[in-house]
């Protein structure tokens, strides 16, 4: 029989979610974790299949980086606006609708005729990424209300464990399926995984008030002011509130800068890693999935370790330290020439990614009011994918001028630089009085009048 802790309130005057004993925290989080684990596996099957497929169709760094550009572009363009609507809409319904739409769009490359196959792949990645602009902030906001603040490090660790398992299974499965039977089964798996995720979301039971951001606004009295605005003016006002809060909250501002620096390096690595396997490691492209799976094993071990250390190490130190180690590890990885050594080393350095996820989510949620979660998450996502977009385009260009390993080496150094910046700049955890000041700051931000130049 489960027991419950006394109910406490947040800075939004909303009760904390009730805690239940158990490894998966509570029923809602269990359903969300199962659905996202299956969906993540489908995503890795899909993305790995598309990278191999595009490489065989285009055969160039520019063709492969085009997939990364198609993925990052919607996040950069739609990110902030999507956050405004996520903070308006019913968040669970937003996620459910997004999953159903992505299940259909994932099949687009299979339906296109052969001459249009490459454009269809880019289009499907673009559309799925655009829908994810709404899904991902909504998911963060839902986790914030179904998991108590004390359990959020554990939830982040469990989320990273399921992500790592997907990272292990997905690429290997994709590589094997592609070279045995082609891309049809792999792409169908991804479409089915979105449907399973939607089914899990359908069975979640969360109070309506916890999923409608307007319920949070009503607690401060600022809703009346927002209702005076309509149309584009209201959207611009809410967008301004999100950016303003990130700008005035030091933790969020530092994280945004850290993300910008780090993703300049990570974007190049994501775009060129498969080419690195063939050029520098002198291995067949069908071994790329196994390299990714080795990284997944490292991520799995790192997620478990980070979860155990989360209560002993401050989130800011875990985040910054993990970035430093990851960046230095990637730079050393870029210098390898033997596939087996690269395989082992990739597993070791990917352990640091467990620390990134376990630290990042709780750190973000601890300083962000619920009614602003969609916009804050979207602002940071925009910075992340904007930098990734620029880096992917630059990597595709530089890949034709310089050896790929040199570009990966520089990317690793940028990630390490981001970690060093975070170590020096992230402030210490805030106290309860400071959290109350944060809540009052939100009200001030939301009451700032909007000036629209026509």
């Amino acid at each position: 029989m489960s027991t419950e802790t006394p109910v406490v309130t947040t800075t939004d005057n909303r009760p904390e979610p009730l805690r239940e004993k158990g490894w998966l925290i509570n029923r809602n989080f269990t359903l969300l974790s199962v659905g996202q684990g299956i969906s993540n596996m489908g995503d890795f099957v899909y993305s790995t299949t598309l990278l191999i497929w595009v490489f065989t169709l285009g055969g160039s760094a520019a063709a492969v980086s085009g997939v990364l550009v198609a993925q990052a572009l919607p996040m950069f363009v739609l990110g902030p606006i999507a956050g405004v609507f996520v903070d308006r809409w019913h968040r669970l319904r937003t996620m459910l609708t997004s999953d159903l739409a992505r299940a259909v769009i994932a099949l687009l490359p299979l339906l296109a005729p052969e001459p249009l196959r490459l454009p269809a792949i880019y289009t499907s990645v673009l559309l799925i990424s655009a829908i994810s602009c709404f899904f991902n902030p909504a998911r963060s906001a839902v986790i914030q209300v179904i998991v108590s603040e004390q359990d959020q490090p554990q939830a982040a660790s469990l989320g990273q464990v399921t992500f790592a398992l997907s990272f292990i299974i997905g690429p290997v499965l994709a590589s094997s399926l592609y070279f045995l039977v082609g891309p049809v089964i792999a792409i169908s798996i991804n479409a089915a995984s979105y449907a399973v995720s939607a089914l899990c979301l359908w069975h979640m039971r969360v109070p309506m008030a916890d999923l409608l951001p307007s319920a949070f606004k009503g607690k401060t009295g600022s809703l009346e002011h927002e209702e005076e605005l309509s149309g584009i003016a209201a959207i611009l006002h809410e967008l301004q509130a999100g950016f303003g809060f990130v700008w005035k909250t030091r933790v969020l501002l530092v994280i945004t800068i850290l993300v910008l620096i780090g993703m300049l390096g990570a974007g190049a690595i994501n775009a060129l890693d498969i080419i690195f396997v063939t050029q520098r490691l002198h291995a067949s492209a069908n071994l790329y999935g196994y390299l990714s799976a080795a990284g997944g094993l490292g991520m799995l071990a790192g997620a478990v370790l980070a979860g155990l250390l989360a209560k002993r190490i401050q989130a800011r130190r875990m985040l910054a330290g993990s970035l430093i180690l990851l960046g230095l590890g990637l730079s050393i990885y870029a210098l390898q020439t033997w596939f087996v050594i690269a395989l082992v080393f990739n597993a070791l350095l990917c352990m640091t990614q467990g620390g990134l996820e376990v630290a990042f989510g709780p750190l973000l949620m601890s300083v962000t009011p619920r009614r602003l979660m969609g916009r804050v998450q979207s602002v940071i996502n925009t910075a992340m994918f904007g930098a990734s977009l620029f880096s992917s385009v630059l990597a595709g260009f530089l890949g034709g001028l310089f050896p790929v390993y040199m570009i990966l080496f520089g990317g690793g150094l940028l990630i390490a630089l981001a970690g060093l910046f975070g170590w020096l700049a992230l402030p210490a955890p805030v106290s309860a009085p400071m959290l109350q000041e944060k809540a009052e700051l939100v009200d001030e931000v939301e009451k700032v009048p909007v000036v629209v130049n026509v």
Side-chain angles (χ1 to χ4, degrees):
M1 179 178 292
S2 63
T3 59
E4 297 175 351
T5 60
V7 176
V8 295
T9 58
T10 67
T11 54
D12 292 301
N13 294 321
R14 299 290 304 162
E16 282 275 10
L18 295 177
R19 304 176 69 196
E20 303 173 11
K21 287 185 177 180
W23 188 66
L24 285 176
I25 301 176
N26 59 50
R27 177 183 179 275
N28 284 324
F29 184 72
T30 299
L31 285 168
L32 181 63
S33 297
V34 170
Q36 285 304 285
I38 294 172
S39 179
N40 285 338
M41 188 194 70
D43 287 339
F44 279 113
V45 170
Y46 193 68
S47 60
T48 304
T49 297
L50 293 187
L51 285 175
I52 298 173
W53 201 3
V54 168
F55 184 65
T56 58
L57 291 173
S60 67
V64 174
S65 65
V67 176
L68 281 302
V69 171
Q71 183 181 50
L73 184 61
M75 296 289 185
F76 179 67
V77 175
L78 291 179
I81 299 297
V84 170
F85 288 100
V86 167
D87 282 343
R88 288 181 169 196
W89 296 340
H90 189 288
R91 286 159 170 173
L92 200 55
R93 291 174 186 168
T94 299
M95 296 171 66
L96 181 60
T97 303
S98 298
D99 269 340
L100 294 176
R102 291 187 295 182
V104 176
I105 295 170
L107 299 172
L108 182 60
L110 298 179
L111 304 177
E114 188 68 30
L116 299 177
R117 189 62 50 79
L118 197 57
I121 291 174
Y122 292 144
T123 301
S124 67
V125 172
L126 186 78
L127 293 176
I128 288 175
S129 181
I131 295 172
S132 298
C133 290
F134 298 89
F135 182 91
N136 293 333
R139 179 183 59 195
S140 296
V142 167
I143 291 174
Q144 192 180 31
V145 300
I146 66 174
V147 178
S148 66
E149 185 172 353
Q150 301 97 312
D151 289 329
Q152 283 173 5
Q154 179 186 352
S157 177
L158 292 172
Q160 185 67 3
V161 166
T162 59
F163 181 84
L165 288 172
S166 304
F167 195 72
I168 295 168
I169 299 171
V172 173
L173 185 61
S175 297
S176 302
L177 288 174
Y178 183 87
F179 289 101
L180 285 175
V181 296
V184 176
I185 295 179
I187 289 178
S188 300
I189 286 174
N190 189 41
S193 73
Y194 285 131
V196 173
S197 175
L199 184 64
C200 291
L201 294 172
W202 178 263
H203 284 89
M204 289 176 63
R205 297 292 179 264
V206 186
M208 178 74 74
D210 286 340
L211 296 172
L212 286 174
S214 59
F216 309 143
K217 293 177 184 176
K219 296 294 181 180
T220 67
S222 62
L223 180 61
E224 179 181 354
H225 172 74
E226 292 207 357
E227 288 178 341
E228 295 174 358
L229 303 172
S230 60
I232 295 177
I235 293 174
L236 291 176
H237 172 69
E238 294 174 38
L239 186 62
Q240 176 187 354
F243 276 104
F245 184 71
V246 170
W247 180 257
K248 293 183 179 182
T249 306
R250 182 178 172 184
V251 171
L252 298 177
L253 181 60
V254 170
I255 287 177
T256 303
I257 298 172
L258 183 153
V259 161
L260 282 170
I261 301 171
M263 288 307 296
L264 284 175
I269 294 165
N270 293 335
L272 300 177
D273 201 24
I274 189 172
I275 299 175
F276 173 79
V277 170
T278 59
Q279 285 187 4
R280 181 73 175 179
L281 301 180
H282 310 292
S284 172
N286 64 345
L287 294 178
Y288 173 71
Y290 296 96
L291 188 68
S292 298
L297 287 172
M299 290 171 58
L300 178 61
V304 174
L305 180 61
L308 295 174
L309 296 176
K311 293 183 179 180
R312 299 183 180 183
I313 302 176
Q314 291 182 1
R316 61 180 182 135
R317 296 305 190 198
M318 183 176 290
L319 178 65
S322 297
L323 273 175
I324 293 172
L325 293 176
L326 176 61
L328 294 177
L330 284 170
S331 295
I332 298 173
Y333 164 80
L335 301 177
Q336 304 307 309
T337 58
W338 190 22
F339 181 81
V340 175
I341 296 297
L343 192 75
V344 174
F345 200 83
N346 192 44
L348 293 175
L349 69 89
C350 282
M351 290 182 65
T352 60
Q353 296 191 37
L356 296 180
E357 284 298 322
V358 171
F360 177 80
L363 189 61
L364 185 67
M365 294 178 190
S366 68
V367 296
T368 304
R370 293 181 180 180
R371 66 183 179 276
L372 277 175
M373 192 65 201
R375 278 168 282 180
V376 168
Q377 180 78 62
S378 292
V379 167
I380 294 176
N381 285 349
T382 299
M384 180 183 302
F385 285 96
S388 179
L389 174 63
F390 175 78
S391 182
S392 296
V393 173
L394 184 62
F397 172 74
L398 294 178
L401 301 177
F402 302 100
V404 169
Y405 81 92
M406 292 179 61
I407 302 172
L408 298 189
F409 181 84
L413 292 182
L414 276 176
I415 294 174
L417 180 62
L420 180 61
F421 169 76
W423 188 276
L424 297 174
L426 280 171
V430 297
S431 61
M434 292 178 67
L435 285 174
Q436 183 58 39
E437 291 180 10
K438 176 195 71 175
E440 294 171 358
L441 171 64
V442 176
D443 295 340
E444 293 177 3
V445 170
E446 292 193 338
K447 290 176 182 177
V448 173
V450 177
V451 178
V452 182
N453 295 320
V454 181

